[in-house]
Amino acid sequence: MSRMKATIAAGVEFWNDSCAPAELADAVAHGAEGATSNPVIVFSAIKADPKTWTPVLDGLIAARPQALEDDVAWALIEALGVKAAATLAPVHAATRGARGFLSMQVNPKLYPDSERMIEHGRTLAAVAPNVAIKVPATAPGLKAAEELVAAGINVNATVSFTVAQAVAVAEAFERGLDRARDRGADMHALHPYATLMLGRLDDHLQRVMAKEGVVVDPTFISRAGIAVFKRARQIFRERGYRATLLAAAYRHHLHWSELIGPGIVQSIPYAWWKQFEGSDIPVQPTLDQPVDPAVVDTLGRRFADFRRAYEPEGLAPEEFARFGPTIHTLNQFIGGYQDLLGLVRERMLR
């Protein structure tokens, strides 16, 4: 049995953290039951396969002579989404809507505006029946998440790095799920996801360590995101939240091998899970094994931002958007979107 299939056998729902068609098809062949996209991923997928996507882009431009570059860019994102969703459609059908979702992210520039996120989320949800909408885990994003779930639309809350964000997302989902149930929605097919971007918290602590001259065993930092995920997992189980925790933003094998167990999603970049497949790392149940308390204690003493990330009340919702990893990630997502607009503009003005 391959390592990914052994991971699935241990109860993990495996997603491919890319919607690039060839990568996703390979992932599905290895048991993947979901995929994700964002502006950075879409831009990379198109740049990696210009032979396929440049003619598609040119056709979209030709069919929309009056369109702005943003309109063409979203038509292109949706075209890629249609293809990826179709690859996952057999999984979605076989599980009666329980799995087989493609996460599509609302325009990252909309992060301050919940109403516009809701509007764009509804548009993207119409791309395919198995699309889940990605919104940021910020105060406006929480409002958008609740409203979309209440309307019967699956949501994946992203740009999230802390236990406080995961809990706030789960609470918003609970409200939305109750409202959806009251209006008679198909609850079997409604599965919201609460993402924690493990590696991006680790990255942030690395930047803080370099900037502030903090001295700590570097292997401790590699367990920061894992510790946050496991703390959130414990709280979700204790409180009976219906959302599914999703691990993302991989930086090393521990982000996979230390989170093996039932009831979660691992959304793993293609290059990473291919490396895991070829490794000698054993697949063992590790999800409910706590991170060494000495590691957690050291990180908490040395990094105020780890304490904010690890404690359930470490951040208030109005602070989510100003947390270091949030700022860094939103800038990257918006930058990726601008790169995509540049690619579209280049073809429009040729």
Side-chain angles (χ1 to χ4, degrees):
M1 183 181 292
S2 73
R3 277 167 175 73
M4 284 302 100
K5 290 187 177 179
T7 300
I8 294 164
V12 173
E13 185 177 341
F14 163 43
W15 286 21
N16 188 66
D17 200 25
S18 168
C19 56
E23 294 181 357
L24 181 54
D26 189 21
V28 169
H30 283 78
E33 295 184 302
T36 190
S37 68
N38 61 43
V40 176
I41 289 172
V42 170
F43 176 74
S44 298
I46 292 168
K47 288 287 286 185
D49 188 9
K51 183 178 179 180
T52 297
W53 292 106
T54 299
V56 174
L57 174 55
D58 289 346
L60 293 171
I61 293 168
R64 297 164 172 78
Q66 305 297 320
L68 301 178
E69 58 195 35
D70 293 82
D71 301 325
V72 176
W74 281 103
L76 183 61
I77 290 169
E78 290 179 16
L80 192 61
V82 167
K83 190 170 183 66
T87 301
L88 292 164
V91 176
H92 191 253
T95 60
R96 294 194 305 114
R99 297 188 178 190
F101 288 100
L102 170 71
S103 288
M104 295 186 70
Q105 188 168 2
V106 300
N107 190 332
K109 294 174 66 175
L110 301 180
Y111 70 90
D113 191 330
S114 58
E115 295 304 320
R116 292 182 69 183
M117 281 192 273
I118 294 167
E119 179 183 3
H120 195 200
R122 290 179 180 273
T123 298
L124 292 177
V127 167
N130 56 327
V131 165
I133 304 305
K134 295 175 76 172
V135 298
T138 58
L142 294 174
K143 180 179 178 182
E146 178 181 342
E147 293 302 318
L148 289 168
V149 170
I153 296 171
N154 277 297
V155 172
N156 177 2
T158 186
V159 193
S160 178
F161 323 89
T162 70
V163 175
Q165 286 175 289
V167 168
V169 164
E171 293 286 353
F173 285 159
E174 288 296 310
R175 296 189 296 270
L177 286 165
D178 286 344
R179 291 168 58 192
R181 180 199 59 215
D182 292 345
R183 56 176 286 276
D186 178 7
M187 301 305 289
H188 177 79
L190 200 51
H191 299 278
Y193 303 94
T195 288
L196 283 168
M197 306 182 86
L198 316 175
R200 289 181 179 271
L201 176 62
D202 298 0
D203 294 346
H204 174 68
L205 296 184
Q206 291 278 7
R207 292 191 292 269
V208 171
M209 184 169 66
K211 181 179 179 180
E212 300 181 1
V214 177
V215 177
V216 65
D217 184 336
T219 65
F220 285 16
I221 291 178
S222 68
R223 289 165 173 77
I226 296 166
V228 165
F229 192 94
K230 291 190 176 191
R231 183 83 185 273
R233 152 86 168 175
Q234 178 185 6
I235 292 170
F236 273 46
R237 296 180 73 181
E238 289 171 353
R239 299 183 184 180
Y241 289 142
R242 287 170 282 182
T244 299
L245 276 170
L246 183 152
Y250 286 57
R251 300 293 185 267
H252 45 73
H253 81 81
L254 296 177
H255 288 148
W256 157 62
S257 60
E258 287 296 315
L259 298 175
I260 295 175
I264 67 163
V265 174
Q266 287 204 35
S267 185
I268 312 176
Y270 183 78
W272 277 112
W273 71 258
K274 294 298 280 189
Q275 288 185 43
F276 300 157
E277 284 281 64
S279 74
D280 294 326
I281 298 166
V283 177
Q284 299 174 339
T286 53
L287 181 60
D288 294 321
Q289 296 175 3
V291 173
D292 184 346
V295 172
V296 175
D297 176 70
T298 299
L299 292 173
R301 285 188 294 102
R302 303 299 289 170
F303 296 99
D305 278 353
F306 177 77
R307 295 195 300 274
R308 296 185 183 103
Y310 188 72
E311 296 301 329
E313 298 180 355
L315 290 169
E318 57 270 20
E319 297 176 296
F320 293 164
R322 295 293 177 263
F323 189 51
T326 305
I327 295 170
H328 192 272
T329 301
L330 282 175
N331 276 321
Q332 186 183 31
F333 283 173
I334 293 169
Y337 178 59
Q338 294 298 331
D339 289 340
L340 182 60
L341 292 182
L343 185 151
V344 171
R345 187 183 314 119
E346 179 182 317
R347 298 303 299 176
M348 291 177 71
L349 295 176
R350 72 190 190 283

